Amino acid sequence: MEEDSPTPFEDALERTGNGRYNYLLAATCGLVLLGMGTDMFGFGLVVAAACDLNITVTQKGILTSLPFIGILLVSYVWGYISDTRGRRFSLIISVQAGFLLSCLASITTNWLFLAFVKFFSVCFSCAINSVAYTLVGESCVQRVRSKYMLMMTCFVVLSPGIAALLTYPTLSLNFESDVPFLGIKFTPWRLLMIVLAIPMGIGGVIICYFHESPKFLINVDRQDEALEVLRSIYAINNRNSSVKSDLQVKSIYLEDSVSTKEYSLLKKAYEQSAPLFRPPLLWRTCQLFFIVSVIYFTNNSLLVWLPYVLNMLKVTQSQTGYTKGDVCTLISVKPEADNFTMEANHTKITPDICLGYIEDNVIITLVASAVVYSFLNFALSYLMRWRRLVLISILVISALSGALLNLMPEPISSVFLFMAFSCTNQAMGIMAAYFVEFYPTSCRGMACCLSIMVGRTSTFVGINVVGNLIFHHCHITFYIWSLVVFSSAIAAWFLPHDKPLQSRT
């Protein structure tokens, strides 16, 4: 018999259990995140191989920066849509539109059209990074919530490696097909654009078969729909249950619901984000945004320069026989490297010549680092009972690696610490769990989307500012950078302790 008294949402969700629906939802959202990652991170590989567009070095820089600019411009909008129209709605629209636009980019006639189409593609697909976590967080019981989010992050971490694996055989193909009405030749790099978007397209179809977040439905006064969703989840998770009514919940209430009023569009958008910057959430918002900015600033900036550093190591050793010194010693030879040429297939190669393929060492590096980071992320998902301590440990390890890489006597160990310095990506899933847990349902989507905007802003700054600093003031840059990462570990120390942590609605 169903209970007559209203049931708190978390209690009602707990009764649905943890089963097939949750596994499949987390796996599907993971696939969507993987698709977003392969499409976004693989775009740099596409640009490097698009020889028939005659893209200059400057134009390549513009193209590879566009995804981050798109994210900065529309994250706020997607936060508003997610909190007013729904998580599932936002995810379906963003995934399917992003997939179609990425495919359209494969038939661009010049680099400006490619930039235009890819910009709008990212403006849609960037919503995936926050909405997917929110949907899973609001549809799964609290005891496995953080674990699922960290496992989903494994897909994001693995995406550069998957993009590299898809790139190598695709660009190895040798064909040209005329497209008369566009005046272009369909070559392997154009096919690669479609191949990289396929995981996102598949995920965009599968996600249609899942329910809207029940927590969102309750928050917008769609009580009957929320109950039906919970009963459906219960029936799927409990195969032995013959009827949905076995859930025994008649009505639900949010423990900390927020009343809503009718506002104009701009006023409503403001009201979605204003609570984040008012007490009692102001301190928590500043704390989490600071940690997120350091995490993205460190990981994404370093990964962009990693292939270059490895090439510098190879060139320095082959041309000078030099085998001693740290990463900064290698970077200091940049003035020579600007003029060097490398032998490949008996052809002189300079930075201004388009090869039409990606060097093997870049592919191997991306795959190896992605596999290692993904494995570590999966292992950490089983330590979410101590997620605060795990977060602090990750940041401390990163800070120590950045400080010690300048002290290494030879390049290999210094490069290893260079990669360890970028291990902050292991904390992305933990931060997503905190954003889902600390903010009320009414502004949770906005909080998650703004966190991505903050993270990508710091990435843009890191790539364009720090990337230049390390070539002119390398040692001091890494020391200061390490202090910044360590300061984020101090900020993480003041997060709530794990055991008494309570979920907000």
Side-chain angles (χ1 to χ4, degrees):
M1 181 177 179
E2 294 184 343
E3 295 181 359
D4 293 330
S5 59
T7 304
F9 173 78
E10 288 295 340
D11 291 347
L13 186 62
E14 186 70 31
R15 295 183 190 184
T16 65
N18 176 45
R20 284 185 300 166
Y21 182 86
N22 308 102
Y23 305 150
L24 294 173
L25 176 62
T28 301
C29 288
L31 175 62
V32 169
L33 286 167
L34 176 67
M36 178 208 68
T38 56
D39 182 63
M40 184 177 296
F41 295 123
F43 184 61
L45 303 175
V46 170
V47 171
C51 297
D52 54 330
L53 295 185
N54 299 316
I55 305 174
T56 66
V57 174
T58 301
Q59 292 166 352
K60 288 179 181 179
I62 295 173
L63 283 170
T64 53
S65 296
L66 278 177
F68 301 106
I69 298 173
I71 292 170
L72 301 183
L73 294 178
V74 301
S75 289
Y76 189 92
V77 176
W78 280 114
Y80 171 77
I81 295 173
S82 174
D83 283 335
T84 56
R85 298 298 303 273
R87 324 309 192 194
R88 178 178 175 271
F89 172 85
S90 302
L91 199 55
I92 291 174
I93 295 298
S94 61
V95 174
Q96 295 182 354
F99 168 72
L100 292 175
L101 287 170
S102 289
C103 292
L104 178 63
S106 67
I107 57 173
T108 52
T109 55
N110 55 65
W111 81 273
L112 281 175
F113 187 29
L114 177 61
F116 178 80
V117 176
K118 195 60 185 177
F119 173 78
F120 281 99
S121 171
V122 173
C123 283
F124 281 96
S125 62
C126 70
I128 299 169
N129 209 14
S130 57
V131 178
Y133 285 109
T134 305
L135 179 60
V136 171
E138 294 180 346
S139 303
C140 298
V141 297
Q142 188 173 18
R143 67 179 182 273
V144 297
R145 196 171 291 157
S146 297
K147 180 180 178 180
Y148 281 161
M149 290 186 181
L150 208 58
M151 286 183 171
M152 287 164 56
T153 305
C154 290
F155 289 89
V156 180
V157 175
L158 193 60
S159 60
I162 298 298
L165 285 176
L166 294 173
T167 296
Y168 188 77
T170 304
L171 292 184
S172 298
L173 299 174
N174 185 19
F175 68 87
E176 283 188 1
S177 299
D178 291 325
V179 184
F181 63 94
L182 291 176
I184 63 172
K185 293 183 181 294
F186 197 86
T187 52
W189 76 263
R190 297 180 184 275
L191 175 63
L192 179 60
M193 292 282 289
I194 299 174
V195 170
L196 291 173
I198 286 175
M200 186 162 56
I202 295 173
V205 173
I206 299 176
I207 198 66
C208 296
Y209 293 93
F210 289 88
H211 298 297
E212 177 60 87
S213 160
K215 202 168 196 177
F216 167 79
L217 293 174
I218 298 172
N219 191 69
V220 294
D221 297 325
R222 292 158 65 179
Q223 178 90 201
D224 293 339
E225 293 180 57
L227 281 170
E228 186 59 30
V229 168
L230 289 173
R231 288 166 181 158
S232 177
I233 295 174
Y234 174 81
I236 296 171
N237 286 344
N238 299 271
R239 303 182 189 182
N240 296 328
S241 176
S242 58
V243 291
K244 296 180 180 180
S245 59
D246 288 348
L247 180 63
Q248 296 183 354
V249 173
K250 187 174 182 179
S251 61
I252 312 170
Y253 71 93
L254 294 178
E255 292 90 328
D256 189 20
S257 60
V258 178
S259 60
T260 58
K261 299 178 181 179
E262 290 297 326
Y263 296 111
S264 65
L265 180 61
L266 292 178
K267 180 66 174 177
K268 198 168 185 179
Y270 169 77
E271 289 298 327
Q272 289 296 127
S273 58
L276 277 62
F277 304 100
R278 296 172 181 160
L281 295 176
L282 175 61
W283 154 246
R284 190 67 68 210
T285 298
C286 293
Q287 180 188 29
L288 294 179
F289 279 7
F290 173 68
I291 298 173
V292 164
S293 66
V294 173
I295 288 172
Y296 279 83
F297 181 89
T298 302
N299 173 258
N300 291 3
S301 301
L302 288 177
L303 288 182
V304 166
W305 293 109
L306 181 59
Y308 182 83
V309 170
L310 292 178
N311 273 336
M312 292 298 298
L313 173 61
K314 181 179 178 181
V315 171
T316 301
Q317 290 179 331
S318 63
Q319 290 190 348
T320 67
Y322 188 72
T323 59
K324 294 183 179 180
D326 54 61
V327 158
C328 285
T329 302
L330 299 175
I331 293 176
S332 68
V333 301
K334 180 180 181 292
E336 296 180 16
D338 283 339
N339 300 317
F340 78 85
T341 61
M342 295 193 303
E343 292 287 344
N345 299 326
H346 308 290
T347 303
K348 291 290 184 179
I349 300 170
T350 67
D352 292 325
I353 294 179
C354 182
L355 305 179
Y357 62 89
I358 305 300
E359 292 286 347
D360 292 352
N361 65 321
V362 176
I363 299 294
I364 294 172
T365 299
L366 289 173
V367 173
S369 60
V371 170
V372 170
Y373 283 143
S374 184
F375 173 79
L376 290 175
N377 210 85
F378 180 79
L380 290 176
S381 68
Y382 289 91
L383 301 177
M384 284 303 93
R385 181 183 300 180
W386 307 281
R387 61 181 176 179
R388 172 176 166 272
L389 295 179
V390 170
L391 174 61
I392 294 171
S393 299
I394 291 170
L395 296 173
V396 169
I397 290 172
S398 174
L400 289 176
S401 299
L404 292 175
L405 68 84
N406 287 328
L407 305 177
M408 293 297 102
E410 46 81 32
I412 301 300
S413 58
S414 186
V415 170
F416 175 80
L417 289 176
F418 184 91
M419 295 184 66
F421 189 32
S422 68
C423 73
T424 54
N425 62 353
Q426 302 297 295
M428 293 178 181
I430 298 175
M431 295 307 298
Y434 276 128
F435 275 101
V436 169
E437 206 157 315
F438 286 154
Y439 291 94
T441 309
S442 58
C443 62
R444 181 174 294 144
M446 180 65 73
C448 292
C449 286
L450 288 180
S451 73
I452 300 301
M453 185 174 76
V454 169
R456 297 308 181 187
T457 301
S458 66
T459 295
F460 186 81
V461 172
I463 291 174
N464 292 280
V465 177
V466 176
N468 291 320
L469 287 177
I470 62 174
F471 294 118
H472 296 90
H473 310 284
C474 183
H475 288 90
I476 189 64
T477 297
F478 275 111
Y479 284 131
I480 294 176
W481 201 341
S482 298
L483 285 176
V484 173
V485 177
F486 186 74
S487 68
S488 69
I490 295 176
W493 179 266
F494 293 98
L495 288 168
H497 289 272
D498 296 315
K499 287 187 177 180
L501 188 63
Q502 298 294 326
S503 174
R504 295 179 62 97
T505 57

